[in-house]
Amino acid sequence: MEEREGEVRWDGLCSRDAAARDAALDTIGQAVLRRAESIASGAAAEGLPVPAARDGLGEALARLLMLSKRCPFPDVRAKSEAILSGVQELGIRIPRPLGHGPSRFIPEKETIQVGKEDATMHTLFAESFATLGRLDNVTLVMVFHPQYLESFLKTQHYLLQMDGPLPLHYRHYIGIMAAARHQCSYLVNLHVNDFLHVGGDPKWLNGLENAPQKLQNLGELNKMLAHRPWLITKEHIEQLLKTEENSWSLAELIHAVVLLTHYHSLASFTFGCGISPEIDCEGGHTFRPPSVSNYCICDITNGYHGVDEIHASPAGSIPVSSTESVCEVEALMEKMKQLQECRDEEEASQEEMATRFEREKRESMFVCSSEDEESAATRDVSRHFEDTSYGYKDFSRHGMHVPTFRVQDYSWEDHGYSLVNRLYPDVGQLLDEKFHIAYNLTYNTMAMHKDVDTSMLRRAIWNYIHCMFGIRYDDYDYGEINQLLDRSFKVYIKTVVCTPEKTTKRMYDSFWRQFEHSEKVHVNLLLVEARMQAELLYALRAITRYMT
């Protein structure tokens, strides 16, 4: 919000010092109330009814609403509420949140409540707030797994804010380009705000054709990475590195590739966990008063329903008895036990292993949802990328053959890691740590069962995702995937990884029906990291081939 005397600054709220936060909020509160008093007195003088928040006041009130609900510091929450109350006393309507909690798929009462977190989580929340200027809904869902969240936040902070080859506004614009490929308005909205905050040119937001040619040139790599990474060749890399005055350096390109893959996979997490719009962003709040039933027709048309309707269990799916669900868990555990016994007794030949991989790769093409829902983006994100018709295609369809990517020939551990670390120091290490945490994360539980070794199941999920991308591990028996992952689970995995914008709550509810929400979020962490690594492998292999 802009004042006549100058612009109100929100930066001081990110301070870890309580006195600095208090002083910043005092300044913000005075500016907001002055503007509110000006609007209220002007309306009264003209004999108008309750005035609307205008001249930037609405955005400031939405930001204060977010702080009152989502700030990890109690002093900021309380003071933000007091400012909102002061505005309301002047007769100006204040906003209220839309939706219920950080996820449309997970009941709010089952997520971590801000203000009720333990010491470890509070530290993570405070760190996230200080870094991002907000406690976003992604963080509030990821915090089911604090060890992973810590690594995720550290990596994202490094990519966006620490020293690196690309300027800050380029980083956020690349985030917008990547998220827009999946019509992820949640991430686009956040990075539009961040892009402007670090001094980005607003004209660039009118469409990719208004951005510098250098960024426009990245559009082709962006769309292939997001939808068909197996098509990336060293010629694509050469085109970016040798385009005269608009060329990329190798270090800049590595930074851009990591950002693109980070935001493609984060879009998967956003849709896979049903992340709600941020309170202060479009779709996250309304100035309309609540109706008797606690929602009005405008909310329904925007996809926001009553709390009972949203979180009916299992919403939008056929009710299943708890006995039947328990049987699913028991059956899965029994299959794991049998597969382990088979492993101990005999090992398939290399020829048989290769055949099983090809069979699973072929079968993965025919895994698709019976639902054909279009995502309801809250802003037009298509202007941030070119060729809007370009989407995911199974790599073996229409007779097109792409050679299998064998991990023994090019792997993250032996090749990708060192290439990233050499050209963008420390990032290889951060990514490696994040991959390992996601892959190895376990609490040795499955639904209501404890002391369970879940490594076989986690490996099946990871390798199934890589299999969909044509990536093969010679030492893995792909016959295990069909034993451990049923059709509804495969549909969910493929949708979240390949076309995340088509993910629905029905898909989320229909797999692992007896498992905890934290376990389903855990699945999403595996999907995020396996997808990101698959994209990186194809891009980094092409860069390696260009360099040699």
Side-chain angles (χ1 to χ4, degrees):
M1 185 183 80
E2 292 194 357
E3 276 273 287
R4 288 181 178 84
E5 307 88 58
E7 188 182 350
V8 172
R9 304 292 298 177
W10 298 86
D11 307 39
L13 292 176
C14 298
S15 174
R16 291 175 175 81
D17 177 56
R21 290 196 303 269
D22 200 48
L25 207 48
D26 278 341
T27 304
I28 290 166
Q30 289 163 15
V32 167
L33 288 168
R34 276 200 304 273
R35 180 60 53 83
E37 285 165 358
S38 171
I39 292 171
S41 60
E46 295 175 32
L48 296 174
V50 177
R54 54 182 172 77
D55 299 335
L57 181 60
E59 290 83 352
L61 295 179
R63 186 78 178 265
L64 286 165
L65 176 67
M66 178 273 288
L67 292 170
S68 72
K69 304 288 185 187
R70 292 282 193 268
C71 183
F73 305 117
D75 54 328
V76 174
R77 290 200 302 272
K79 211 156 196 174
S80 298
E81 281 183 18
I83 297 168
L84 288 169
S85 296
V87 171
Q88 194 170 31
E89 285 169 11
L90 292 167
I92 294 177
R93 190 173 289 154
I94 62 172
R96 62 184 177 87
L98 278 172
H100 302 273
S103 165
R104 292 178 294 108
F105 296 172
I106 306 171
E108 187 172 16
K109 64 180 184 295
E110 295 187 38
T111 60
I112 306 299
Q113 304 295 303
V114 178
K116 297 180 181 177
E117 68 274 12
D118 62 26
T120 302
M121 289 179 182
H122 180 76
T123 302
L124 283 172
F125 283 174
E127 188 63 38
S128 178
F129 189 85
T131 302
L132 303 172
R134 64 173 63 247
L135 188 54
D136 65 22
N137 290 336
V138 165
T139 299
L140 289 171
V141 172
M142 272 189 189
V143 80
F144 275 121
H145 305 285
Q147 184 190 5
Y148 175 85
L149 175 61
E150 184 177 12
S151 176
F152 172 86
L153 290 174
K154 191 164 50 169
T155 304
Q156 184 169 262
H157 176 63
Y158 197 97
L159 291 174
L160 291 176
Q161 294 175 303
M162 299 297 282
D163 288 344
L166 294 173
L168 297 183
H169 63 301
Y170 264 52
R171 303 181 196 192
H172 289 294
Y173 197 81
I174 290 168
I176 292 168
M177 289 173 63
R181 285 267 25 135
H182 287 306
Q183 303 157 45
C184 187
S185 55
Y186 172 86
L187 291 173
V188 169
N189 282 333
L190 287 182
H191 284 281
V192 162
N193 293 336
D194 291 339
F195 171 77
L196 295 172
H197 182 71
V198 297
D201 185 344
K203 292 195 190 82
W204 297 10
L205 300 175
N206 293 329
L208 186 57
E209 68 277 6
N210 295 292
Q213 188 62 46
K214 183 171 177 173
L215 282 167
Q216 292 183 44
N217 294 345
L218 196 64
E220 186 75 9
L221 184 65
N222 179 27
K223 76 178 187 181
M224 284 192 296
L225 269 174
H227 307 297
R228 309 176 201 175
W230 44 85
L231 297 180
I232 297 170
T233 64
K234 69 176 182 180
E235 283 74 30
H236 293 114
I237 303 304
E238 185 173 18
Q239 216 168 11
L240 287 166
L241 296 173
K242 291 190 172 180
T243 320
E244 297 172 4
E245 75 272 13
N246 297 311
S247 66
W248 292 73
S249 71
L250 266 172
E252 287 175 332
L253 186 58
I254 289 287
H255 194 171
V257 162
V258 174
L259 282 168
L260 290 171
T261 58
H262 175 80
Y263 282 105
H264 293 155
S265 57
L266 190 53
S268 284
F269 183 87
T270 300
F271 286 114
C273 292
I275 300 297
S276 302
E278 293 299 322
I279 289 174
D280 58 326
C281 287
E282 187 178 349
H285 64 275
T286 180
F287 283 87
R288 291 174 180 267
S291 66
V292 175
S293 61
N294 204 36
Y295 62 91
C296 58
I297 196 70
C298 61
D299 296 340
I300 298 172
T301 56
N302 284 321
Y304 297 102
H305 310 284
V307 65
D308 296 331
E309 183 180 350
I310 287 180
H311 293 311
S313 180
S317 60
I318 299 164
V320 179
S321 71
S322 58
T323 307
E324 192 178 331
S325 293
V326 170
C327 288
E328 283 181 345
V329 179
E330 303 288 358
L332 181 54
M333 291 181 65
E334 182 59 32
K335 282 178 184 172
M336 288 164 62
K337 181 182 172 189
Q338 289 171 0
L339 285 170
Q340 187 58 55
E341 288 169 355
C342 289
R343 273 185 189 174
D344 296 340
E345 288 171 12
E346 58 178 313
E347 193 173 311
S349 66
Q350 280 300 309
E351 292 77 10
E352 177 61 25
M353 299 269 260
T355 301
R356 289 175 186 176
F357 168 78
E358 292 300 331
R359 185 186 304 129
E360 189 58 52
K361 185 171 73 167
R362 193 168 57 251
E363 286 179 5
S364 76
M365 289 191 305
F366 302 106
V367 172
C368 60
S369 167
S370 57
E371 302 176 40
D372 189 22
E373 290 198 15
E374 291 299 317
S375 59
T378 53
R379 68 180 284 149
D380 175 23
V381 298
S382 63
R383 64 182 182 272
H384 299 300
F385 60 89
E386 297 172 310
D387 195 358
T388 55
S389 63
Y390 191 99
Y392 170 79
K393 289 281 190 299
D394 294 302
F395 46 81
S396 299
R397 285 238 173 117
H398 313 301
M400 179 178 67
H401 178 68
V402 174
T404 293
F405 186 123
R406 298 177 72 224
V407 170
Q408 76 174 52
D409 297 332
Y410 195 95
S411 69
W412 165 255
E413 290 80 6
D414 296 334
H415 308 91
Y417 168 82
S418 56
L419 177 61
V420 173
N421 244 18
R422 179 153 44 102
L423 294 169
Y424 188 8
D426 298 328
V427 170
Q429 182 63 43
L430 288 168
L431 292 175
D432 193 58
E433 177 187 295
K434 189 159 63 79
F435 289 147
H436 276 95
I437 289 173
Y439 188 88
N440 295 312
L441 187 66
T442 183
Y443 305 94
N444 299 112
T445 59
M446 274 181 64
M448 69 295 295
H449 297 278
K450 300 190 186 309
D451 301 318
V452 182
D453 181 357
T454 61
S455 56
M456 180 184 290
L457 186 56
R458 285 180 279 118
R459 191 179 185 193
I461 294 168
W462 185 279
N463 287 0
Y464 179 61
I465 295 158
H466 279 195
C467 177
M468 291 191 301
F469 284 94
I471 298 170
R472 181 189 167 207
Y473 295 82
D474 285 356
D475 62 346
Y476 183 68
D477 180 357
Y478 286 84
E480 292 186 4
I481 289 173
N482 266 342
Q483 297 290 314
L484 298 175
L485 313 183
D486 64 23
R487 188 184 181 282
S488 64
F489 194 13
K490 283 184 172 182
V491 166
Y492 178 78
I493 290 172
K494 185 172 180 181
T495 305
V496 171
V497 171
C498 300
T499 51
E501 60 277 12
K502 294 183 178 176
T503 308
T504 64
K505 187 172 190 300
R506 185 186 181 94
M507 291 178 195
Y508 176 89
D509 288 334
S510 67
F511 84 92
W512 283 12
R513 287 166 290 193
Q514 198 63 24
F515 284 69
E516 300 289 336
H517 287 291
S518 61
E519 291 173 303
K520 293 195 174 191
V521 173
H522 187 176
V523 165
N524 272 274
L525 301 184
L526 284 167
L527 306 192
V528 164
E529 298 304 331
R531 175 185 179 172
M532 183 175 184
Q533 191 178 98
E535 286 189 28
L536 277 174
L537 282 173
Y538 278 108
L540 296 174
R541 183 180 68 171
I543 291 171
T544 299
R545 285 176 173 174
Y546 164 80
M547 292 170 68
T548 50

